[in-house]
Structures are given as C-alpha cells and as structure tokens.
Amino acid sequence: MLSAKRDKAAARRFFKRAISTNVTPDRIAIDNGGANLAGLQAVNVIRKFTGSGRLIRIMQSKYLNNMIEQDHRFIKRITRPTLGFKEFHSAAATLAEIETEHMIRKGQIAANGKTGFQQFAALAA
C-alpha cells in the first residue's frame, strides 16, 4: 500500500539514484510494500523503453531482504536481557565489541594462526 511518506515517485527516484551511483543489480529483493514494487516497475519500464541496460529482476518476499536482521539477531540476544543502555557512548562501545567478537567467530578477520582470544586481545591493545 502506498503511503504519504513513501509513494511511487519517491521510490522511483530512490532506485534511479541508487542504480546510477552503483552497479546495476541483476535482482533486488524487496518486502511486500507497494511503493517499492511500483517504483522498481517504473524503473524497469524506463530501462526497457530507453534501452539503457538489462531489466532488474524483482524478488518480492517478506523474508528475502532480512539478511541484516539475521546477522544482528545475536546482538539482540545478548542485549535484550539487559536493562538497556543509558548513554550513547557506552552503547556504541559495547555493540562494537560484540560485532568484533562475532566477526572473529565468523572468520571475517584474518586469523594469522591466532586463536579467537588472541585476535581479540591484539585488537584491544
């Protein structure tokens, strides 16, 4: 459903700007929002009639675009039992530490033969 804050024209402008500053994607995963679908369809119509590249495949699902939320659910699991953060700088420091620890565990930081604890200690020093 289109809303006053996110209508078809705004979605079309957003996608045109995003595509012009980045590489044209093969496909885009969106949720069931009507404005995003209408905006992408309008971009595809423009691309089809101007012949300015291939069409973008639209993958519409409630869960396909939820990769970021899936990656951050471990933070939610750790922070939910607490009473919350009182100040921004303490929240930023705690979340940065949790993110770094998770990146080490997932192997996104080069190990160089070190254990996870050794990597974290080297980063903290």
Side-chain angles (χ1 to χ4, degrees), residues 10-30:
R12 183 179 49 78
R13 283 192 307 271
F14 168 78
F15 286 120
K16 279 180 66 176
R17 192 174 325 133
I19 290 168
S20 68
T21 59
N22 299 302
V23 178
T24 303
D26 294 330
R27 60 187 178 270
I28 294 179
I30 60 173

Side-chain angles (χ1 to χ4, degrees), residues 72 74-80 82 85 87-103 120:
H72 287 114
F74 71 94
I75 290 178
K76 292 178 185 177
R77 188 182 71 236
I78 292 171
T79 59
R80 196 165 278 144
T82 66
F85 299 109
E87 299 205 15
F88 183 76
H89 66 84
S90 63
T94 304
L95 293 177
E97 178 221 341
I98 294 170
E99 286 278 355
T100 304
E101 183 269 328
H102 191 65
M103 288 175 66
F120 190 77

Side-chain angles (χ1 to χ4, degrees), residues 43-122:
V43 168
N44 271 342
V45 167
I46 291 169
R47 293 176 71 83
K48 182 177 181 179
F49 286 121
T50 60
S52 62
R54 63 185 183 274
L55 298 180
I56 301 167
R57 196 170 93 206
I58 302 169
M59 299 170 56
Q60 193 173 15
S61 173
K62 184 176 179 182
Y63 304 107
L64 283 177
N65 64 343
N66 208 6
M67 298 284 279
I68 294 172
E69 287 297 321
Q70 288 178 8
D71 196 41
H72 287 114
R73 67 181 163 198
F74 71 94
I75 290 178
K76 292 178 185 177
R77 188 182 71 236
I78 292 171
T79 59
R80 196 165 278 144
T82 66
L83 295 174
F85 299 109
K86 303 299 182 223
E87 299 205 15
F88 183 76
H89 66 84
S90 63
T94 304
L95 293 177
E97 178 221 341
I98 294 170
E99 286 278 355
T100 304
E101 183 269 328
H102 191 65
M103 288 175 66
I104 290 171
R105 190 173 344 131
K106 287 173 63 176
Q108 294 176 340
I109 297 176
N112 298 331
K114 297 179 182 177
T115 65
F117 178 77
Q118 290 170 335
Q119 283 181 290
F120 190 77

Side-chain angles (χ1 to χ4, degrees), residues 1-2 31-39 60:
M1 180 164 203
L2 301 177
D31 57 5
N32 289 329
N36 288 333
L37 177 62
Q60 193 173 15

